[in-house]
Amino acid sequence: MPALTLREILALDPVRATEPELLAGAGGLDRPVRWVHSSEVYEGANFLDGGELLLTNGFGLAEHGDEETRRRYVRELAARGAAGLAVEVGRSLPAMPDEVTDEARRLALPLLALHRVVPFVRITEAANRAIVARGLSGRSVVRPWGGDHTAALLADLADRAALNQPEVEARAALAGFHPGPGARLVGVSVHGTRETAVVDRAVRTLGGPAALRAVFPGDVLALLSLPSGRSGDLVRAVQEAFRARASAGVTVAVGHAVAAGGGWLRWSDTLRAARTTLELALTVPAAEPGAPEGPLVTSSRALALERELTRGGVDANRERLTAMVQHVLGPLLDWESAHASDLVRTLETHLRNGCSPTRTAALLHIGRQSLYQRLERIESLLGLDIGDPELLGELLSAACAHRVVRGEVRDRLRRVA
């Protein structure tokens, strides 16, 4: 179904009540309108992405008597791809300035004079509600999740489709998702189940926060809204809830906590971080052994280094990562190719745990004396003091890159087999 047009917007009751008069751009009445905004005329163009109808009360036009400034603003609106400009006349602005009408005609930009006062909020609510409804009904024809509005919204957020905050909030409200003031959002991606029940169980453990969740071909995706009054580490709380309620064999990746009021890109960020982290958790060997039973639950911050090293995808970074590993850890790799040892993993585990012998030995399930022997061997082969703080970033990045590349190769071999 095609998008709502400017002609259809003009037919809405709140718009008709303004007694609109088309002064220019009649040929643009069938343009699709992506959203309706209200703003002071000299600020509005900065917030447009294209396809919007801009409403203004004309105060800026009345206050600024510079003809060229008015013409320039109309040019900016046209350059930003605005669907049209609607100006309230009769209060702040007695009549539409001739230069505005002339410039709009020259650029074929639809220009409307609104002769009766109707609160802009009534116009934007009616128009944007109609736009969202039309968009969702259209998506059901082509999206694999049919008429599932929640899945459509989560997919658009995860894919970072062209959206804006009012649209996201309107669509979230249609799905029954209402983050309160000060709420924090956490994205979650789950593999190993085709049911949203795992999310529902975790939500109950967390005390019943609002949640958007839907099943997709590769994962179950969810966006949790945790209230402002909740204290402590929210990411860890979500992880613990899934550890307690998810089944063995399930892999859960948790994104970072973002402010619900921070804009739709933040909503998208936490969902995308969860999905990227899940992909890494499924393909890259873990830095440390997990629990022998129960689900694997990780987070975007736990795999922050892996995510940075593979920004843009493993394939796109494979040659660079391989070169980094060889440059930094070449002597260790040569040794491991000729001897049965686990030096690179030992090095990474030791660095990730603050160079604590006790913690490292426990995680590797070896005695402290065996650990000391391995560390001495590593330092001898590299000719470095691995306790030197200046080396931490390079050594840890290279060890992590080795694990990423090794996991990617194993995944390729599994697919070939």
Side-chain angles (χ1 to χ4, degrees):
M1 183 177 293
L4 210 67
T5 65
L6 182 56
R7 190 186 304 276
E8 291 173 303
I9 295 290
L10 292 177
L12 296 173
D13 288 342
V15 182
R16 292 173 57 194
T18 67
E19 298 181 3
E21 178 187 4
L22 184 65
L23 302 179
L29 287 177
D30 293 316
R31 290 180 179 179
V33 179
R34 192 168 66 86
W35 207 247
V36 178
H37 289 294
S38 62
S39 172
E40 289 299 325
V41 68
Y42 290 110
E43 300 172 357
N46 297 326
F47 302 102
L48 301 186
D49 296 317
E52 297 94 343
L53 171 62
L54 182 64
L55 311 177
T56 178
N57 60 18
F59 180 77
L61 289 172
E63 285 293 303
H64 294 78
D66 184 345
E67 176 181 334
E68 178 54 31
T69 299
R70 293 170 178 167
R71 287 183 179 274
R72 184 171 62 249
Y73 181 69
V74 175
R75 291 196 295 269
E76 289 175 353
L77 284 177
R80 297 297 283 263
L85 172 64
V87 184
E88 184 183 278
V89 296
R91 289 199 302 173
S92 301
L93 186 70
M96 189 73 73
D98 291 340
E99 59 271 19
V100 173
T101 303
D102 179 66
E103 199 69 19
R105 286 173 179 163
R106 189 180 68 82
L107 296 170
L109 176 71
L111 175 66
L112 298 161
L114 309 180
H115 292 288
R116 291 185 65 87
V117 176
V118 173
F120 283 166
V121 66
R122 287 179 52 194
I123 297 174
T124 57
E125 284 182 351
N128 292 334
R129 191 182 304 116
I131 290 169
V132 169
R134 173 68 62 84
L136 292 177
S137 63
R139 280 189 180 90
S140 66
V141 177
V142 297
R143 302 291 275 225
W145 33 88
D148 188 340
H149 300 337
T150 298
L153 175 57
L154 286 170
D156 283 346
L157 288 169
D159 294 340
R160 191 159 284 185
L163 301 170
N164 56 56
Q165 192 63 23
E167 178 184 358
V168 169
E169 291 176 355
R171 292 173 62 184
L174 285 175
F177 187 66
H178 304 276
R184 305 278 287 176
L185 304 182
V186 179
V188 179
S189 185
V190 183
H191 178 79
T193 179
R194 298 289 299 160
E195 303 289 339
T196 60
V198 62
V199 177
D200 297 334
R201 291 194 298 269
V203 163
R204 287 194 293 272
T205 299
L206 289 165
L212 288 172
R213 75 281 189 281
V215 177
F216 292 89
D219 63 351
V220 173
L221 195 60
L223 187 64
L224 310 185
S225 173
L226 301 169
S228 59
R230 189 179 186 109
S231 60
D233 187 335
L234 300 184
V235 171
R236 189 166 295 280
V238 173
Q239 286 183 262
E240 292 304 323
F242 277 95
R243 285 195 181 99
R245 305 309 298 269
S247 304
V250 169
T251 302
V252 181
V254 179
H256 38 268
V258 300
W264 76 269
L265 285 173
R266 297 291 178 266
W267 298 33
S268 175
D269 284 346
T270 186
L271 287 170
R272 291 167 66 86
R275 270 197 161 169
T276 301
T277 301
L278 179 67
E279 181 180 351
L280 289 170
L282 292 173
T283 58
V284 176
E288 298 175 359
E293 299 179 356
L296 170 61
V297 182
T298 187
S299 69
S300 59
R301 64 190 184 191
L303 296 183
L305 185 54
E306 289 86 340
R307 291 175 60 235
E308 287 300 316
L309 289 173
T310 59
R311 190 173 293 276
V314 174
D315 282 340
N317 290 280
R318 184 153 29 94
E319 290 187 11
R320 178 179 64 85
L321 297 180
T322 300
M324 176 198 299
V325 172
Q326 188 60 42
H327 171 69
V328 178
L329 303 178
L332 295 190
L333 299 178
D334 293 342
W335 176 270
E336 289 193 340
S337 67
H339 303 82
S341 61
D342 203 6
L343 298 185
V344 176
R345 181 166 176 252
T346 298
L347 174 62
E348 183 178 8
T349 303
H350 191 58
L351 295 175
R352 281 182 175 271
N353 288 275
C355 296
S356 167
T358 301
R359 175 71 176 161
T360 303
L363 287 169
L364 296 175
H365 304 290
I366 60 176
R368 286 169 62 101
Q369 191 58 41
S370 295
L371 172 64
Y372 290 140
Q373 291 174 355
R374 289 189 187 182
L375 295 178
E376 289 176 2
R377 176 71 66 184
I378 291 170
E379 292 186 331
S380 174
L381 290 169
L382 295 179
L384 301 171
D385 176 6
I386 61 176
D388 185 344
E390 291 188 358
L391 299 175
L392 174 61
E394 183 179 57
L395 290 174
L396 185 54
S397 295
C400 181
H402 174 63
R403 186 163 40 81
V404 168
V405 173
R406 187 181 65 198
E408 193 264 350
V409 170
R410 287 180 179 176
D411 185 57
R412 283 174 174 270
L413 291 176
R414 283 198 301 270
R415 282 178 284 176
V416 171

